[in-house]
Every structure is written in structure tokens, then in C-alpha cells.
Amino acid sequence: MRLAGLAFCVLEFLIAPHSHAAQNFSCDGAEVRIEVVARDSRAWEDRSVAVVTVSREGEKTVLQYRNIDFIGGRCVAENGARALVVYQAFCGGSGCMDLANWGVIDPRTLRVLTVPSDANRDEARKLLGGGVLPRLQMMSVLAEAHKLGIDVPE
């Protein structure tokens, strides 16, 4: 029986679409997915979009980000504070504000508390109780677009 189960898992892996990596995690009863998806566009800059989806009990909040280079997030619940979905979405150039650009979503109400902007580091820190902002595992939007087979520059 175990061998049949293993064979099924291997078969499922081989025939399943290998589209791209996404970040998936739970946060206080909500399911969170951060991914890069393809878009139909003549301009290569618009051929992929980063999407943050937070869903709970059939409802969802969906935010899309174009013209960014990195995105990533996680559930943060520190010092007995309520759990929050925390993410960053920012460009990768020398003029980009990679220490700012925080997004925060309440996983219970699906309410967006702040969206990424170049000047919201202090606001995000305050929402998280004033401590140090978390380190996040970031995904490269361009690398994910390549994995999807989207025609974008190397």
C-alpha cells in the first residue's frame, strides 16, 4: 500500500504543472499566497505582475503590483500582539527604498492597514508594535517570470 501511495505522489509530481514558486502560509485563520503571474502585454515590463492574496471563509483581499523587482511576506505575531500579514514590494535599483515599502493586512478582517510606499517604514513599525521590522524571504519577480516562461529580459 505504501508503494502505491509513493508511486501516486511521484506520478502527481511528474504531471503537475511546474509553473513557479509562490509563498503560501497561514496567518490567524487566513490563507496567504504571494506569487508572480503572467499578463498579456506587448510591453515586457507589464508581462508579469506580483499578486498578494489573503483569503478567509470564502472572502479575499487581492493586491497586484507591477514594476517592482522583489516581493515577499510572512505572518507576524510577536510579543502577544495580534497576528498580521506583513509583506514588502519594492524595486531593486540604487534609488529604491528597500527598507520601506511595507504592506500590512489584518488576517481576521482582510482589511489593508497599509500598502507599500517609499515612506511607510515608521507606519509599518507602529502597526507591528514599534519593534524591529521582520526579515522576509523575498522573491525576484523577474526570476519568477522566467520560470513561468514569460518573455522578459535576462
Side-chain angles (χ1 to χ4, degrees), residues 95-111:
C96 297
M97 306 296 263
D98 60 351
L99 297 178
N101 289 294
W102 293 88
V104 180
I105 300 171
D106 184 327
R108 291 185 187 170
T109 63
L110 304 181
R111 184 172 165 231

Side-chain angles (χ1 to χ4, degrees), residues 113-150:
L113 303 177
T114 189
V115 294
S117 75
D118 287 349
N120 76 338
R121 182 178 171 85
D122 290 336
E123 179 183 7
R125 188 177 313 179
K126 185 176 178 182
L127 287 167
L128 296 174
V132 176
L133 291 169
R135 288 191 57 93
L136 304 174
Q137 181 178 352
M138 305 303 289
M139 293 188 302
S140 164
V141 174
L142 212 59
E144 295 305 316
H146 281 286
K147 289 178 189 175
L148 285 169
I150 299 169

Side-chain angles (χ1 to χ4, degrees), residues 33-150:
R33 182 170 178 87
I34 301 174
E35 63 185 329
V36 175
V37 298
R39 293 192 53 215
D40 187 22
S41 176
R42 291 174 40 166
W44 73 264
E45 298 92 342
D46 295 329
R47 291 183 190 148
S48 63
V49 62
V51 180
V52 176
T53 304
V54 182
S55 56
R56 179 187 194 99
E57 299 173 357
E59 301 293 326
K60 64 175 75 172
T61 294
V62 179
L63 300 165
Q64 298 185 15
Y65 297 95
R66 285 186 276 176
N67 299 317
I68 62 165
D69 296 313
F70 299 98
I71 190 161
R74 71 177 202 173
C75 183
V76 175
E78 297 176 359
N79 302 328
R82 67 182 171 169
L84 295 169
V85 176
V86 178
Y87 67 98
Q88 271 190 297
F90 57 87
C91 65
S94 61
C96 297
M97 306 296 263
D98 60 351
L99 297 178
N101 289 294
W102 293 88
V104 180
I105 300 171
D106 184 327
R108 291 185 187 170
T109 63
L110 304 181
R111 184 172 165 231
V112 177
L113 303 177
T114 189
V115 294
S117 75
D118 287 349
N120 76 338
R121 182 178 171 85
D122 290 336
E123 179 183 7
R125 188 177 313 179
K126 185 176 178 182
L127 287 167
L128 296 174
V132 176
L133 291 169
R135 288 191 57 93
L136 304 174
Q137 181 178 352
M138 305 303 289
M139 293 188 302
S140 164
V141 174
L142 212 59
E144 295 305 316
H146 281 286
K147 289 178 189 175
L148 285 169
I150 299 169

